[in-house]
Amino acid sequence: MLFLNEYILCILLYYQTFKKQCMIKLQVIGNLGKDCTVNTVNGKNVINFNVAHTEKYKDAQGTPKERTTWVECAYWTDRTGIVPYLRKGTHVYVEGTPDVRTYTTQDGRQGTALSLRIINVQLLGSRNNNEGGDGSTYQHPPSSYSSTASVPSSTDIQEPADDLPF
């Protein structure tokens, strides 16, 4: 009996040690479907938004088709400085832990929704719809880096000839 208890204890210790290393991660690149919303739940901020990823493909007859997958995103964070940039049409990269939720529609059909608990979000740009045209141009959000920083040319860099890295 003692051997069985030690075995169970070893399994529990193994699980406690490695359970944080097991994870399913989903990465999505797409456009926001609408402006984000910020809510407070039990004193914690959550930023909610939807990302649409459109995949272009050809069917068996060679006809071009598009399939759009919508992902509901929840970003639990105190860093709400990104909120002004999460607007409809913004091109983003998000990664996090996925969850599939099933529900019944009003007409009685079963539906599924893909949701994502965000770990990381990166802005890739936003659609600039104010200039007219087809809306395919992107405008990057303001950056805190100066664009006037000088980069030395290859002739300005001098390294000793005898200082080889190998």
Side-chain angles (χ1 to χ4, degrees):
M1 184 68 176
L2 184 61
F3 179 72
L4 182 61
N5 287 339
E6 289 175 359
Y7 180 72
I8 292 172
L9 180 62
C10 287
I11 291 174
L12 290 175
L13 289 174
Y14 178 81
Y15 177 73
Q16 290 292 327
T17 304
F18 294 104
K19 72 177 183 180
K20 292 183 181 179
Q21 295 178 3
C22 299
M23 178 176 140
I24 297 174
K25 182 166 66 169
L26 179 66
Q27 300 171 327
V28 179
I29 295 177
N31 296 317
L32 267 62
K34 61 181 179 179
D35 293 353
C36 73
T37 58
V38 181
N39 300 309
T40 303
V41 179
N42 296 330
K44 296 185 179 183
N45 293 328
V46 60
I47 304 170
N48 294 305
F49 53 93
N50 294 328
V51 176
H53 171 76
T54 302
E55 178 183 353
K56 296 180 181 181
Y57 66 97
K58 291 184 180 180
D59 63 7
Q61 290 78 26
T63 308
K65 300 267 184 175
E66 288 186 355
R67 176 182 23 232
T68 301
T69 303
W70 286 91
V71 182
E72 299 173 4
C73 299
Y75 186 32
W76 293 84
T77 183
D78 290 329
R79 300 177 185 174
T80 57
I82 196 170
V83 169
Y85 300 100
L86 294 176
R87 300 287 179 214
K88 181 178 180 177
T90 301
H91 198 63
V92 294
Y93 163 83
V94 293
E95 66 179 322
T97 308
D99 186 33
V100 177
R101 183 175 50 89
T102 59
Y103 60 92
T104 305
T105 61
Q106 291 179 348
D107 58 356
R109 293 183 297 132
Q110 284 291 105
T112 58
L114 178 62
S115 61
L116 194 63
R117 185 177 179 124
I118 300 297
I119 297 169
N120 182 21
V121 59
Q122 294 180 11
L123 300 171
L124 302 178
S126 63
R127 291 186 188 239
N128 189 359
N129 294 328
N130 296 334
E131 293 182 10
D134 62 356
S136 62
T137 59
Y138 288 89
Q139 173 186 6
H140 294 281
S143 174
S144 61
Y145 298 109
S146 173
S147 62
T148 60
S150 63
V151 177
S153 68
S154 61
T155 58
D156 294 341
I157 300 173
Q158 296 178 358
E159 295 183 20
D162 61 343
D163 190 20
L164 299 175
F166 51 90

